[in-house]
Amino acid sequence: MLRTRTWLPLAKNLRFYYTVKTGQTTKDPHQVSKQIYSRIKATGPITVADYMKEVLISPTGGYYMHRDVFGESGDFITSPELNQMFGEMVAIWFLNEWSKVGSPKPLQIVELGPGRGTLSQDLLRIFDHFGALQSASLHLVEVSPVLSDIQAKRLCIQTENIVDPTSVIYRQGISHEGIPVKWYRQFDDVPDMFTLLVAHEFFDALPVHKYQKTDDGYREVLVDVDSNKEHSFRYVVARDETPTSKLFIKPTEKREHLEVSPESLILCKKISEKLEMNGGLALIADYGHSGTGTDTFRAFKKHKLHDPLVEPGTADLTADVDFNELKRCATEAGGVIAFGPITQRDFLLKMGIEHRYKALEANAKPEQLEGLKYGYRMMTDKDQMGERFKFLALVPSVLEKILEKYPVVGFH
Ligand SMILES: C[S@@+](CC[C@H](N)C(=O)[O-])C[C@H]1O[C@@H](n2cnc3c(N)ncnc32)[C@H](O)[C@@H]1O
């Protein structure tokens, strides 16, 4: 079954306190299409994972690289963009769990794939409100130059680009609250320090390999050019096993179609290693399944489903996250324990979103009420984001005894 990233019509006044910047577009919208076409012509069909990576983050025309893709004028909307309550609940969760382990300092807040920087903005606002930003810094992992620009404008009073090619930080600044903010292209470069890490709708953007059951066993689905039409693509099924199908398909596998994201699994392992080594907490929120998902690779353009092979680079590509596999990779070395996945609805309600909603409603101007109610319902309703989105928490195993006595909030 296909799941949608977002739903229209969007209500007005979704957020109270900022206006949405309109996006830039690349000069040639067919750039990525041409690149992939030439590549396949030269070397043969490519994996869906290679296709997805090229389409989303190719420096020359990748979907995320040259425009603001969010909101009414973009292709989809995310929970932090809908309403401030989302970021507030996440912030309260972190503050609660952090204080349980003695509020270690210095504190490093890390966000993977911050989009417009809205979730980080809400986190900093709440942390600041509770006086939790002394000795804190914010670290953003973002590949998109345009989105990092938008994040910098939203979060910082000043920023500078770092031109030194040996530096793993490509931009830095000072936030409105007065803490250092740094930008990296990859998680590996984030310093080793006590970390509160959040990844919202990040893992679903990481490349997946697709497989299909055939009479000869599982075979990888590849992307080939469509010889009937220039710059068009089609799926083909590999004749033989590919290195990844040998590696990733379990002997017990039964599904007709399945997707595997090695990049996500490796990243999850790295997050766990950092948490184990330096201490910290991670919250991964995304739409996903527990090992039952099948054919979920899809595209969104202007808030509608779109064919992933048509006009690549002009639509968002995404696939459901396999939380079972993330959890397995995070915990298999034994240094980290995982809680969840639980639904977004459960998480937000247990964190007290209802009370926050009522307080905001009581103080809202009449023209803000529609957006507030719409945001609340979208985030919590079972048939909207409430059940589709899941939360997974990762905590170092050394905390197991403490957590038996004082369980992780929201997850029990
Ligand atoms: C779907 S958006 C989510 C944005 C934000 N977390 C939110 O919920 O509004 C994905 C984000 O991840 C970034 N991104 C995608 N692939 C990435 C990669 N491989 N490395 C770093 N950032 C990536 C995108 O540029 C974008 O900021």
Side-chain angles (χ1 to χ4, degrees):
M1 188 189 72
L2 285 174
R3 290 155 199 261
T4 54
R5 202 192 250 284
T6 191
W7 301 261
L8 272 182
L10 295 174
K12 298 287 170 218
N13 299 315
L14 293 176
R15 303 257 323 188
F16 292 178
Y17 54 86
Y18 67 83
T19 53
V20 169
K21 181 183 182 293
T22 51
Q24 295 163 268
T25 50
T26 55
K27 285 189 191 104
D28 178 3
H30 306 297
Q31 175 77 28
V32 175
S33 196
K34 288 177 189 164
Q35 269 166 224
I36 298 175
Y37 197 84
S38 312
R39 178 174 166 186
I40 297 176
K41 277 284 201 191
T43 60
I46 58 173
T47 64
V48 170
D50 278 349
Y51 177 82
M52 202 169 165
K53 194 165 186 166
E54 185 90 17
V55 170
L56 291 182
I57 62 170
S58 149
T60 48
Y63 174 74
Y64 281 117
M65 304 303 268
H66 301 278
R67 75 194 94 181
D68 180 2
V69 296
F70 303 89
E72 279 175 272
S73 58
D75 296 310
F76 59 90
I77 193 156
T78 61
S79 290
E81 296 293 330
L82 275 168
N83 195 275
Q84 70 199 67
M85 290 181 286
F86 183 85
E88 289 171 352
M89 296 303 116
V90 170
I92 299 294
W93 185 84
F94 274 123
L95 283 170
N96 195 71
E97 297 307 310
W98 180 52
S99 73
K100 216 188 263 175
V101 293
S103 308
K105 292 186 187 96
L107 167 66
Q108 159 170 286
I109 302 168
V110 177
E111 184 175 1
L112 307 183
R116 282 175 169 169
T118 311
L119 177 55
S120 278
Q121 185 185 35
D122 287 333
L123 292 183
L124 294 192
R125 182 168 51 81
I126 300 299
F127 272 62
D128 196 32
H129 180 79
F130 286 98
L133 287 182
Q134 297 96 1
S135 312
S137 50
L138 177 67
H139 303 258
L140 303 174
V141 177
E142 175 59 73
V143 277
S144 164
V146 166
L147 290 177
S148 77
D149 251 359
I150 295 173
Q151 292 151 19
K153 286 192 182 107
R154 169 144 303 144
L155 293 164
C156 293
I157 40 176
Q158 60 174 73
T159 59
E160 56 171 358
N161 289 329
I162 296 175
V163 283
D164 174 2
T166 61
S167 171
V168 294
I169 299 164
Y170 67 89
R171 186 193 282 269
Q172 63 185 4
I174 300 292
S175 81
H176 292 287
E177 299 77 10
I179 69 162
V181 184
K182 296 179 198 300
W183 278 263
Y184 310 79
R185 291 192 180 85
Q186 50 179 19
F187 174 70
D188 303 44
D189 297 328
V190 173
D192 288 330
M193 206 189 280
F194 185 92
T195 293
L196 302 183
L197 178 143
V198 66
H200 180 258
E201 288 218 39
F202 176 74
F203 280 90
D204 72 273
L206 297 185
V208 293
H209 290 267
K210 281 178 74 65
Y211 303 97
Q212 188 175 314
K213 201 177 191 177
T214 71
D215 292 343
D216 302 317
Y218 283 96
R219 292 288 181 268
E220 183 151 10
V221 177
L222 304 171
V223 177
D224 198 358
V225 297
D226 184 345
S227 46
N228 297 322
K229 212 169 151 210
E230 216 192 339
H231 295 144
S232 292
F233 303 96
R234 63 184 179 123
Y235 292 115
V236 291
V237 177
R239 230 172 290 145
D240 301 309
E241 284 185 305
T242 51
T244 69
S245 63
K246 282 188 198 152
L247 201 62
F248 294 120
I249 309 287
K250 295 187 184 123
T252 51
E253 187 53 63
K254 295 269 183 299
R255 287 170 283 177
E256 289 292 316
H257 294 268
L258 70 142
E259 295 156 350
V260 179
S261 173
E263 211 170 297
S264 299
L265 304 183
I266 291 165
L267 176 61
C268 210
K269 222 176 167 62
K270 286 180 180 168
I271 293 172
S272 301
E273 285 163 3
K274 258 204 211 294
L275 293 184
E276 183 188 2
M277 197 164 54
N278 311 302
L281 304 154
L283 196 58
I284 298 172
D286 229 306
Y287 41 69
H289 57 86
S290 296
T292 52
T294 56
D295 185 10
T296 75
F297 176 57
R298 60 200 181 279
F300 285 97
K301 191 169 179 173
K302 297 282 165 218
H303 302 271
K304 290 203 173 86
L305 275 172
H306 177 84
D307 184 335
L309 300 191
V310 171
E311 294 169 341
T314 67
D316 183 30
L317 297 183
T318 172
D320 281 6
V321 170
D322 184 341
F323 279 101
N324 255 15
E325 282 297 286
L326 285 194
K327 211 168 153 167
R328 185 182 62 73
C329 279
T331 56
E332 72 185 350
V336 154
I337 42 178
F339 296 89
I342 58 165
T343 65
Q344 171 160 311
R345 174 184 167 80
D346 274 0
F347 178 83
L348 293 177
L349 289 177
K350 283 185 179 159
M351 294 312 300
I353 194 171
E354 244 179 312
H355 304 290
R356 182 63 178 141
Y357 170 67
K358 286 191 178 127
L360 286 173
E361 190 183 35
N363 292 307
K365 296 184 184 131
E367 68 273 19
Q368 294 171 332
L369 281 171
E370 185 199 356
L372 180 65
K373 191 170 175 188
Y374 177 82
Y376 177 76
R377 294 189 58 174
M378 290 288 282
M379 290 190 286
T380 57
D381 273 7
K382 285 187 176 165
D383 55 351
Q384 303 288 352
M385 292 164 154
E387 297 249 300
R388 289 184 179 116
F389 279 72
K390 312 279 191 310
F391 280 61
L392 180 73
L394 304 178
V395 180
S397 301
V398 286
L399 299 178
E400 199 162 5
K401 285 275 166 281
I402 302 179
L403 297 174
E404 274 168 20
K405 209 164 164 197
Y406 306 103
V408 175
V409 176
F411 285 83
H412 59 94

